[in-house]
Amino acid sequence: MTNVAVIYYSATGNIAAMAHALGEGARETGAEVRIHRVAENAPAEAIDANPRWRAFLDMNQDDPATLDDLAWADAIALGSPTRFGAAAAQLKSFLDTTGGLWATGVLAGKVCTAFTSSSTAHGGLESTILAINNHFYHWGSLVMPLGYHDPHVMKRSGNPYGASFVSRSGAAPDDEALMAAQIQGRQLAIVASELSRGRDQGGS
Ligand SMILES: Cc1cc2nc3c(=O)[nH]c(=O)nc-3n(C[C@H](O)[C@H](O)[C@H](O)COP(=O)(O)O)c2cc1C
């Protein structure tokens, strides 16, 4: 059984929807999947100033991510909305608690991937994914991009860095973006499973 952890931050629900689509894609392969949100740490007055942010925070049922989810996983997908061209501070805060896992090499060799959403097409989708990927390099993980080999990505969704969605004026992720996330999850679980099979057969 391949263990897949999908860890995300989402203020208004777009990344949460993509996280669940990605998890569904991984589950289709028979993998065991955990989907968790990272803790909210924005001040209440900032959240209350945006009714969509407050409403999503109050209704989100996903449990908070823990370091154990990362240690447990063979494969990890991290998702965040684009915030000024990089990941949200809430995800970064969680990642900044992984020093102990990093120091003991627990994260090395895991297969990792990233996904995002921004409000504009050129607002930093790729830079956000690349910024998340930086953590994977430091952990010694294997970075799995979405690539272009699936026809859906090549012809429709079009971002080989990772599943992404342009939300414009508050739109929710469409079928195209959710399908890309699902493909990414499926691919992540398959790569992790093939890797562990290779390791079981005598690799390291
Ligand atoms: C503080 C802040 C910074 C943002 N920065 C960007 C940005 O640099 N580029 C962009 O296109 N969208 C930006 N956005 C828009 C979000 O990335 C976008 O609405 C995303 O779909 C939200 O995802 P969520 O519903 O999962 O929170 C920003 C939003 C906020 C609140």
Side-chain angles (χ1 to χ4, degrees):
M1 180 73 91
T2 303
N3 294 340
V4 176
V6 184
I7 310 284
Y8 73 90
Y9 173 72
S10 184
T12 53
N14 294 339
I15 289 296
M18 293 174 74
H20 282 268
L22 195 148
E24 195 182 312
R27 260 189 210 112
E28 280 169 11
T29 71
E32 188 170 336
V33 178
R34 292 183 186 177
I35 303 176
H36 293 303
R37 61 176 175 82
V38 299
E40 182 58 81
N41 61 17
E45 55 268 34
I47 298 168
D48 290 335
N50 179 341
R52 289 186 61 219
W53 192 354
R54 166 54 66 197
F56 178 71
L57 183 62
D58 289 348
M59 59 84 73
N60 187 342
Q61 307 266 314
D62 289 329
D63 291 330
T66 65
L67 293 177
D68 174 65
D69 297 315
L70 297 178
W72 164 87
D74 303 301
I76 299 167
L78 297 180
S80 168
T82 291
R83 289 281 168 94
F84 306 113
Q90 289 85 344
L91 180 66
K92 176 76 173 129
S93 291
F94 175 70
L95 297 176
D96 285 354
T97 67
T98 61
L101 293 178
W102 163 79
T104 49
V106 170
L107 300 168
K110 294 181 190 286
V111 186
C112 296
T113 200
F115 59 102
T116 191
S117 170
S118 68
S119 63
T120 57
H122 302 288
L125 294 169
E126 284 88 351
S127 60
T128 300
I129 289 175
L130 292 172
I132 294 173
N133 286 356
N134 280 338
H135 298 83
F136 304 149
Y137 304 129
H138 285 260
W139 291 349
S141 315
L142 305 172
V143 182
M144 192 207 79
L146 182 52
Y148 268 131
H149 54 283
D150 188 285
H152 175 78
V153 184
M154 176 63 106
K155 296 190 180 131
R156 310 284 306 172
S157 65
N159 191 342
Y161 294 75
S164 51
F165 174 65
V166 178
S167 59
R168 296 273 167 205
S169 44
D174 54 15
D175 288 348
E176 205 164 270
L178 295 175
M179 171 78 83
Q182 209 172 329
I183 291 166
Q184 192 169 359
R186 196 183 312 138
Q187 214 165 272
L188 180 69
I190 290 170
V191 170
S193 152
E194 286 176 354
L195 191 64
S196 55
R197 196 172 325 125
R199 284 170 175 156
D200 289 347
Q201 287 169 359
S204 58

